[in-house]
Amino acid sequence: GIVPERVRTVGAPVARTALSLPADRLLLGAVGQLQPYKGFDILLRAFAMVAHAFPNADLAIAGTGPCRGELESLAAQ
């Protein structure tokens, strides 16, 4: 049900030095309002599986919203 013409991918190069991220690390990121329907909980659960296969991977989520506390608890697990 998504109209391809309405989908936009937005990105900007980020210097590794700005993030203090070593060259051998993989950084995955997501930005958005932390709302229940956004699926950030699914992202965290999926990343747990990715982290087992790729121990050099990190996940960064940026945003605010009502799910923040729940997501922080899930990330701590």
Side-chain angles (χ1 to χ4, degrees):
I2 296 173
V3 179
E5 294 78 27
R6 296 195 63 196
V7 175
R8 301 285 183 267
T9 301
V10 179
V14 177
R16 284 188 174 276
T17 54
L19 298 172
S20 299
L21 192 67
D24 64 340
R25 302 293 300 177
L26 171 65
L27 177 63
L28 305 173
V31 178
Q33 286 189 330
L34 306 180
Q35 299 288 339
Y37 64 91
K38 295 279 188 155
F40 286 105
D41 59 326
I42 297 168
L43 173 61
L44 282 171
R45 289 183 178 94
F47 183 75
M49 293 184 276
V50 169
H52 285 293
F54 300 94
N56 66 329
D58 295 300
L59 174 65
I61 298 176
T64 61
C67 293
R68 181 178 175 148
E70 172 190 339
L71 294 171
E72 287 175 343
S73 295
L74 184 57
Q77 294 174 17

